[in-house]
Amino acid sequence: MNRLANSQSPYLLQHASNPVDWWPWEQAAFEEAKRRNVPVLLSVGYSACHWCHVMAHESFEDEPAAAYMNEHFVNIKVDREERPDVDAIYMEAVQAATGQGGWPMTVFLTADAEPFYFGTYFPPEPRHGMPSFMQVLDGVRAAWVGRREEVADVAQRIVRDLAGRQLDYGKGGTPGPEELAQALLALTREYDATRGGFGGAPKFPPSMVLEFLLRHHARTGSEGALQMAADTCEAMARGGIYDQLGGGFARYSVDREWVVPHFEKMLYDNALLCRVYAHLWRATGSDLARRVALETADFMVRELRTEQGGFASALDADSEEPQSGRHVEGAYYAWTPAQLREVLGEDDGDLAVAYFGVTEEGTFEHGKSVLQLPQDGPAADAERIALIRARLLAAREARPAPGRDDKVVAAWNGLAIAALAECGAFFERPDLVERATEAADLLVRVHMDGRARLARTSKDGHVGANAGVLEDYGDVAEGFLALAAVTGEGVWLEFAGFLVDLVLDRFTAEDGSLYDTAHDAEKLIRRPQDPTDTAAPSGWTAAAGALLSYAAHTGSEAHRTAAERALAVVHALGPRAPRFIGHGLAVAEALLDGPREIAVVGHLEDPARALLHRTALLGTAPGAVVATGMPRAEDGSGGEFPLLAERTLVHDLPTAYVCRHFVCARPTTDPVELAEQLGTVRP
């Protein structure tokens, strides 16, 4: 029976024609397992996951394997991007049992959804010490039939162990300068001074940590923090992980040198890195940072924007290889020297081979190379290189393109809104601000109901069935707040307020910690609660950041207190695990700095006001909030932002006010003086 055909998820639809009798995650599946007295096979993945496609082709499309699965199991397929709560719970169990995790995730459950056996990818035959998928199925069935009490005991023990992992990070107080200095020291120890980034292969873009380093430099002047951020950004931008033709970043590098990426391109990575490079430019004026920020923004708009104005989740790593007709990882992106010369001719082809680090042996597979920008590459005329890039991009676009996951995820669109709004403001690209506004409009129209509750996903303008989780509320609120700062439209502050109020009402525990799901969400074997970052900011610290910014805008003690209580987790984890709580560290930097509250009053059409506003946005003070518009009168009329209340024009000129910790600097009409008040590194 084809139960996935009506799903919105492109990942589930990819499996709708499998011979496996898949169920979506629903209570009826567990009732069926109970009725048949069989275990549940839970398979979790996502559409851009390379090894998910491999296992699907090897096992789920195999008739004998599918027949065995259908006879002895109830099989449930879950898109982790639609149901991050389900994914988080069982991934925690997988990691606790095996010491590692990843996708596809394969978990065997009782009819009460209790896990008792785990794994990730299983090959079709034994390989590298791994059992085959059929051996796993046979073993699980044998245990279920012959050792049921043992299976039940294991499942109950695992559930008890998971329940015992409840966090108690609320007693350490808010993080102070000492904890953030310790976090920086710990990062320094793990930093790869030769290649940039942290740790070894595979190497992931440390987006949230980079934002912390930039904010730490802005607050303290630490040159070491800035150097780590700048060098890592340059290494990534020169490496194969960055698309040297079309802009945008791949998911991660399989090596320590950033040369060969895992080619899938995710919205969250590109939104986060776009903003990081924009902030690096704001701090240093780096031409490379400016170029990469803009190219990444243009990539998101060109390749991920949907017809409805939102942003799709991902592009696949695989695409069809014209020569073989097979789907091959990296086929769209890799080049041989001969292919470059075929497109460009001998002279420009030879230059491209040297300029992009392409070799006869290849840096990837089968003699192909991923384009890079080696430090020791040849000097070349900028206009000539720009023309070469354009010709290669056009030739690449004639290749079969990677598949796109068109579902719109609320949280990741919130990240994209923030990045595009700021890039548009920083680099005087009003079209990017328009794209951010259109995405925000979509979230309000489609994802928010009459009570401002968020749906997790939509597709083709139709809202999905799954409720938003904490990261959706935190990241969308952050996007709305960034849009409010850039556009001067107070309605976005109002919408952010609705969302952070729901965080207080539906996600917050008595001790101030935050849950990933609302109190009235579907009950799982435990309520997920994870303060650590994954590829994107944790919902916990994303919400803390939005609460803090909203409090700075409105003066709300309730929201600031909630932010401070939530940040107690950074006090506990920051000094010992900074790579895994980078966003929390970045929010803590804003807390220590105030954050600054900047009000710019004046007519929106006045160029002098626009200059003050741009200066405010370019300030490097961590997490500063910006409001602009006409003064707000005592009766509430006039300006749309509380920060504008009773702010007056000085000498009838547009005027900026900078406050922190209830103390305000002298009002100024001079952009240079405003920049000095904000500690802006570059004018």
Side-chain angles (χ1 to χ4, degrees), residues 435-516:
R435 301 294 85 79
T437 303
E438 290 162 355
D441 284 337
L442 176 72
L443 293 181
V444 172
R445 286 187 291 105
V446 175
H447 286 247
M448 290 178 72
D449 66 13
R451 295 178 292 174
R453 295 189 178 194
L454 280 172
R456 171 73 174 171
T457 62
S458 69
K459 188 173 183 292
D460 301 326
H462 301 292
V463 68
N466 298 304
V469 295
L470 183 60
E471 72 162 342
D472 295 305
Y473 286 82
D475 289 338
V476 172
E478 172 72 14
F480 287 172
L481 289 165
L483 195 57
V486 166
T487 63
E489 296 176 2
V491 66
W492 300 115
L493 175 63
E494 185 177 355
F495 281 129
F498 295 153
L499 298 179
V500 295
D501 283 346
L502 287 171
V503 169
L504 297 182
D505 292 341
R506 302 177 66 228
F507 293 87
T508 305
E510 290 185 3
D511 65 357
S513 62
L514 298 172
Y515 286 99
D516 293 327

Side-chain angles (χ1 to χ4, degrees), residues 36-157:
R36 289 176 49 198
N37 193 25
V38 296
V40 170
L41 189 162
L42 172 66
S43 177
V44 182
Y46 58 102
S47 72
C49 167
H50 171 71
W51 288 103
C52 299
H53 295 314
V54 171
M55 188 168 177
H57 177 67
E58 293 173 341
S59 297
F60 303 148
E61 296 172 10
D62 180 70
E63 293 283 354
Y68 193 94
M69 293 169 66
N70 295 338
E71 181 178 358
H72 299 294
F73 301 89
V74 167
N75 305 290
I76 296 179
K77 177 61 73 172
V78 167
D79 182 342
R80 66 175 292 262
E81 296 174 348
E82 281 194 332
R83 292 302 303 264
D85 51 342
V86 172
D87 176 65
I89 287 171
Y90 294 106
M91 183 59 72
E92 184 178 9
V94 171
Q95 291 172 329
T98 68
Q100 59 186 4
W103 298 275
M105 175 169 61
T106 308
V107 185
F108 295 89
L109 315 174
T110 69
D112 293 320
E114 298 173 337
F116 63 88
Y117 189 78
F118 321 90
T120 51
Y121 164 78
F122 290 110
E125 65 280 324
R127 187 186 303 162
H128 307 305
M130 288 188 292
S132 73
F133 185 53
M134 287 302 301
Q135 286 176 326
V136 171
L137 296 179
D138 277 335
V140 170
R141 177 177 177 270
W144 183 265
V145 172
R147 305 193 303 277
R148 181 70 63 82
E149 288 188 5
E150 179 183 337
V151 169
D153 288 344
V154 168
Q156 290 167 13
R157 185 177 71 249

Side-chain angles (χ1 to χ4, degrees), residues 273-360:
L273 289 168
C274 177
R275 203 176 187 193
V276 163
Y277 279 86
H279 291 176
L280 177 61
W281 171 83
R282 182 172 65 178
T284 66
S286 162
D287 288 337
L288 180 143
R290 182 184 190 277
R291 176 175 65 81
V292 171
L294 281 171
E295 289 177 355
T296 303
D298 287 336
F299 155 74
M300 289 191 287
V301 171
R302 183 182 66 250
E303 298 192 34
L304 294 179
R305 188 168 180 267
T306 68
E307 289 184 10
Q308 294 75 32
F311 291 90
S313 297
L315 298 179
D316 285 354
D318 305 353
S319 58
E320 182 182 321
E321 186 180 55
Q323 300 91 326
S324 66
R326 296 181 298 112
H327 271 68
V328 176
E329 185 178 5
Y332 188 68
Y333 300 101
W335 298 81
T336 64
Q339 288 173 326
L340 293 177
R341 294 185 181 106
E342 181 182 356
V343 173
L344 300 170
E346 287 297 321
D347 289 346
D348 282 349
D350 288 344
L351 174 58
V353 166
Y355 189 81
F356 291 117
V358 176
T359 66
E360 292 294 338

Side-chain angles (χ1 to χ4, degrees), residues 62 71 77 104 127 133 164 179 202 207 212 263 270 310 362 397 432 452 502 567 583 588 668:
D62 180 70
E71 181 178 358
K77 177 61 73 172
R127 187 186 303 162
F133 185 53
E179 285 78 26
S207 308
F212 160 62
F263 290 90
N270 285 285
E397 288 174 344
L432 296 180
L502 287 171
L567 288 174
H583 190 71
T668 181

